[in-house]
Amino acid sequence: MFHHPQFDPVAVSLGPLAIHWYGLMYVVGFVGAWWLARVRAERLGLTRDQVGDIIFYGALGVVLGGRIGYAIFYGWEQFLANPLWLFKVWEGGMSFHGGLIGVLIASLLYARRHQLTFFQLTDFIAPMVPIGLGAGRLGNFINQELPGRVTDVAWGMVYPLYGPEPRHPSELYEFALEGVVLFCILWSVSQTPRRRGLISGLFLICYGAFRFFVEFFRRPDPQLGFIAFDWLTMGQLLCIPMLLLGVVLVIWSRRQNVDDARSSSRI
C-alpha cells in the first residue's frame, strides 16, 4: 500500500499570484503540441505562423468545449439552477469529450480557412493530443482529483482527501494509457504514408477503449454515480459513440487516397 505524496497544488507563488500545477499541465500540453506541430509542419505545407494558429484554435476548442461539455454532461442541473456557474472556471470542471467536440469544430473552421480537408487536419493533430492528455492526468494526480475506487491490490494508494482506504491510482493508469501508449501508437502510424482518416479513427478507437477500461477502476462522478446497470459511468457512455465512429472512420479510410508526407488537397 502506498500513500499519496500530497503535493502542494501551488507550483510557484509570486506574492499574490499563485501558479497551480494543474494550470502548468495545460501549458505543458499546449507547448508540447506546438513543438510537435512545428516538427511535422511540412507534412501539410504549413508555415510556423500557421502552426501557431492551429494551436490557438485548438486551445479555444479545448477550453470552451471542455467547460461547456462539463456543464452539459456532468453539471446540467447546477447549470440550469445558476447559468453563471459556467464561467466559474476557478472552481474546476472540464470534460475531455466536450473538449474533443470543441477541437473538432475548431479544426473544421481552420481547415476551411486554409483550404485543407478536415481529415488531413485531424490526422495531423491527433498524435499531439496525448501530450495534453498525459499532462492533464498528472495534474489530476497532483491535485488528488478523480481518484480510483477502493481496492486491496498491492499498489493501492491512500488519498488523504478521500479517507483511509487504499484506492486505484486511476489517474496514473490514464496517464500511461491515454498519454504514453496512445502517443506511441499514433506516432508510429503517422511515420509512414497512410490512408486519410486512419489516424483520426485510431485515435477515437484507442482513446475510447482505454477510457472505457479505466472507468472500471475510477471512482464514479459523485454527482452522477452510475448511469445504468450499476456499473456504467458517464465517461463510458460518452466513449461508446467514439468507439463506433472510430470503427466507421477506419473502414472509410480504406477507400481513401494514401496521404503523402507533403500532400495537400483542397476542400
Side-chain angles (χ1 to χ4, degrees):
M1 185 174 65
F2 298 90
H3 286 77
H4 189 278
Q6 292 186 269
F7 298 102
D8 186 341
V10 176
V12 179
S13 294
L14 301 173
L17 177 64
I19 302 176
H20 290 72
W21 282 109
Y22 191 75
L24 284 179
M25 292 301 103
Y26 270 84
V27 174
V28 169
F30 290 131
V31 170
W34 170 79
W35 174 81
L36 190 59
R38 284 167 63 96
V39 170
R40 304 173 69 240
E42 66 177 18
R43 290 172 178 266
L44 291 184
L46 299 174
T47 66
R48 291 184 176 182
D49 288 341
Q50 289 173 322
V51 166
D53 289 344
I54 290 177
I55 300 303
F56 176 73
Y57 274 69
L60 286 179
V62 168
V63 175
L64 296 178
R67 184 59 180 171
I68 294 172
Y70 183 84
I72 294 174
F73 301 139
Y74 298 97
W76 183 246
E77 292 184 1
Q78 189 172 1
F79 173 67
L80 290 180
N82 179 21
L84 293 178
W85 168 77
L86 178 67
F87 302 100
K88 296 181 179 180
V89 294
W90 57 88
E91 294 183 0
M94 296 286 283
S95 164
F96 164 79
H97 295 90
L100 175 62
I101 294 172
V103 169
L104 292 178
I105 294 173
S107 298
L108 179 62
L109 295 175
Y110 185 92
R112 290 187 176 278
R113 179 180 176 184
H114 293 276
Q115 298 183 318
L116 297 167
T117 68
F118 177 70
F119 288 115
Q120 272 184 302
L121 187 57
T122 57
D123 284 352
F124 178 75
I125 292 173
M128 309 172 199
V129 177
I131 299 174
L133 290 175
R137 294 313 179 194
L138 288 180
N140 293 144
F141 180 72
I142 290 171
N143 286 348
Q144 298 188 58
E145 298 170 338
L146 310 178
R149 305 181 191 184
V150 174
T151 181
D152 58 0
V153 297
W155 58 89
M157 180 172 291
V158 175
Y159 289 76
L161 294 181
Y162 295 90
E165 303 89 357
R167 297 176 177 273
H168 284 284
S170 55
E171 311 100 322
L172 300 183
Y173 299 170
E174 292 188 89
F175 164 75
L177 291 175
E178 300 168 12
V180 178
V181 175
L182 183 57
F183 175 80
C184 291
I185 292 172
L186 299 180
W187 179 255
S188 62
V189 174
S190 70
Q191 295 309 293
T192 58
R194 70 284 171 193
R195 296 188 183 278
R196 188 170 303 166
L198 174 62
I199 295 178
S200 300
L202 285 176
F203 172 82
L204 295 175
I205 291 173
C206 292
Y207 177 87
F210 293 157
R211 176 68 181 272
F212 196 96
F213 172 73
V214 173
E215 285 283 329
F216 285 113
F217 306 96
R218 178 171 152 175
R219 178 173 174 261
D221 298 280
Q223 72 273 29
L224 297 177
F226 294 115
I227 303 299
F229 314 122
D230 290 328
W231 61 265
L232 185 69
T233 66
M234 177 59 77
Q236 289 173 318
L237 182 64
L238 294 173
C239 283
I240 293 174
M242 281 187 69
L243 287 164
L244 296 176
L245 181 58
V247 171
V248 171
L249 191 52
V250 168
I251 295 173
W252 173 83
S253 73
R254 299 179 65 181
R255 300 182 179 181
Q256 305 308 304
N257 296 326
V258 173
D259 268 338
D260 190 20
R262 297 175 181 269
S263 65
S264 176
S265 61
R266 298 179 179 274
I267 294 178

